[in-house]
Amino acid sequence: MSFFSNEIIGWYSENGRSLPWRETKDPYRIWLSEIILQQTRVSQGLPYYEKFIKHYPDLNGFANAEETDILKLWQGLGYYSRARNMHKCARLVQRDFGGFFPSTYAQLLQLPGIGPYTAAAIASFAFEESVAVVDGNVIRLVSRYLGIQEPVNKGATLRSINTYVQEEIQGFKPDLFNQAIMEMGSQICTPKLTKCDSCVLAMNCQAKKEGLVNRIPFKSTRTKVSQKYFNYYLSQNQDQLSLVHRNSKGIWQNLYEFPMEESVNSKVESNATLIGTFQHQLSHQRIEAKLWKVNKIPSRLSQNKGIFEVALGEIGSAYPTHQLMNKMIKAWQEQLTK
DNA sequence: GATACGTGGTG
DNA sequence: TCACCAAGTAT
């Protein structure tokens, strides 16, 4: 009888939140929710989940859509490779599996955008395979419970956590166990303001015993953010705006934006009017963007051949754009109306 | 194994 | 203002 597993499942049965993807066994819906929730809070992802289900209630509709339509719905969520990989994945499942997701962890792991966590989530939630999920919640909760002081962003530490939960899940309903351990991590064993007072594991928690709850999980230093300078050029003829498709590797791949040129330092243009300067913070870059109003897009831009014209309304309805673009358009529109 | 990849919320 | 982080994956 495992204290750990019995306690978390007992707690979850009483305290688990009701969320739409917990009310279904449909692999498509579970897959959709799991991709959306990667590195994303429930409150941020929930509206997107509802939106996608409304537009694409099943895998076939999703697979038959164009990638740009998927990206348009995804707009604003970030980590856009998730949307691109989902589209690849949907078409692959449609083509190679007759529109039905494969049912095992090993097969799911082969699909685009599905890594160890998501494969375990779909296999356990949709198909009752006894494979434990290891996400940020699990890492935090288990490292505290066991008092692991080694960096959790190390392979060896991760493997020991995985070994522990894979043993604990044995003999329990895998979907229940996995939901329970993640819910405990997100609602009780939180990163800050940890709710140890209402934790059913507290009496056996090593971090609590040693007063290390606020020190664990320990992470070795992360990479620092780089500063970048983007210059965007806004050219308007009649109601038509110049736009380009980002084909390059790197951020915002396959999204649309105004013609742009990067500079080494903050730029000063002489033949353009500055509409505004915008700070955009990413996890790994800090971008200072300047939006310049010009009569004609400078011919020196490398992307020159890819420029096309489109009405503002069309951008809003059909062209996926990143949040910096949305920010710039909004500021420009507000200037025009005053 | 380290790094790139978004966005918005929190203390 | 700023560091940290939220149901990770690909390369």
Side-chain angles (χ1 to χ4, degrees), chain A residues 28 31 56 58-71 82-102 110-114 254:
Chain A
Y28 167 73
W31 165 73
Y56 307 112
D58 56 47
L59 181 103
N60 269 325
F62 191 104
N64 292 337
E66 295 299 322
E67 184 191 272
T68 193
D69 299 326
I70 303 298
L71 280 171
R82 290 183 291 174
R84 299 192 302 269
N85 282 328
M86 278 188 98
H87 189 242
K88 278 186 208 161
C89 180
R91 293 201 163 179
L92 199 155
V93 169
Q94 190 183 51
R95 194 191 67 195
D96 295 351
F97 297 92
F100 296 95
F101 275 88
Q110 301 303 312
L111 298 172
I114 297 184
N254 289 4

Side-chain angles (χ1 to χ4, degrees), chain A residues 39 79 222-226 251 280-286:
Chain A
Q39 299 288 280
Y79 284 156
R222 60 177 55 191
T223 57
K224 57 166 175 264
V225 301
S226 59
I251 55 170
H280 195 71
Q281 184 74 53
L282 286 66
S283 54
H284 55 297
Q285 295 180 20
R286 181 179 175 78

